[in-house]
Amino acid sequence: MMNRRTFTLAALASAAAPAALQAQQFEITRTEAEWRALLTDAQYRVMRDEGTERAGSSPLDKNYADGTYFCRGCDLALYPSETKYDSGTGWPSFYDSLPGSIGTKPDRKLLSVRTEVHCRRCGSHLGHIFDDGPQPTGKRHCLNGVSLVFRAA
């Protein structure tokens, strides 16, 4: 049975959880001012405030050239072009990342829990992972193009 005290404690714990996750230590760290100097407003909103770019707005969604996608925040190689596919969602989508390149955490901002994906080295928000992708993984890494830099092979 949930009383007022239990409800209040649960609400405080859930409110503190995102702050605890943001406090995670990463290999590459920058001050807010350094991030703002490095990124455009749109890039900052997505990569540092975990926003989402508008569907269909990224030229990387329809890019199928051979190469590698890197983190815009720290230049870590994240996704090979071999794992990119057209999900029809309007965001660049991949079924797998390069080994050791990403981290994940639960995202409880909406009514359901999603899996947020970020760069394991600098913590920049990339997007979300869903269970409706193609084989061999069955995963869809649905990413924000503003978080990525593509380099042709």
Side-chain angles (χ1 to χ4, degrees), residues 30 32-40 43 47 72-74:
R30 293 184 173 92
E32 181 179 349
E34 289 170 328
W35 280 115
R36 287 197 179 276
L38 178 70
L39 305 171
T40 66
Q43 291 164 349
M47 296 170 62
R72 183 172 300 281
C74 71

Side-chain angles (χ1 to χ4, degrees), residues 40-52:
T40 66
D41 289 344
Q43 291 164 349
Y44 186 91
R45 187 180 58 76
V46 169
M47 296 170 62
R48 305 317 303 167
D49 289 337
E50 299 179 357
T52 301

Side-chain angles (χ1 to χ4, degrees), residues 21-93:
L21 290 170
Q22 289 176 350
Q24 182 177 351
Q25 293 298 310
F26 293 100
E27 231 176 281
I28 294 181
T29 58
R30 293 184 173 92
T31 65
E32 181 179 349
E34 289 170 328
W35 280 115
R36 287 197 179 276
L38 178 70
L39 305 171
T40 66
D41 289 344
Q43 291 164 349
Y44 186 91
R45 187 180 58 76
V46 169
M47 296 170 62
R48 305 317 303 167
D49 289 337
E50 299 179 357
T52 301
E53 69 188 359
R54 187 174 40 83
S57 65
S58 174
L60 295 180
D61 180 37
K62 300 299 182 194
N63 177 37
Y64 294 101
D66 289 338
T68 305
Y69 294 81
F70 291 79
C71 174
R72 183 172 300 281
C74 71
D75 208 36
L76 178 67
L78 301 171
Y79 290 89
S81 61
E82 294 82 20
T83 66
K84 189 169 189 300
Y85 71 100
D86 186 358
S87 65
T89 62
W91 287 281
S93 297

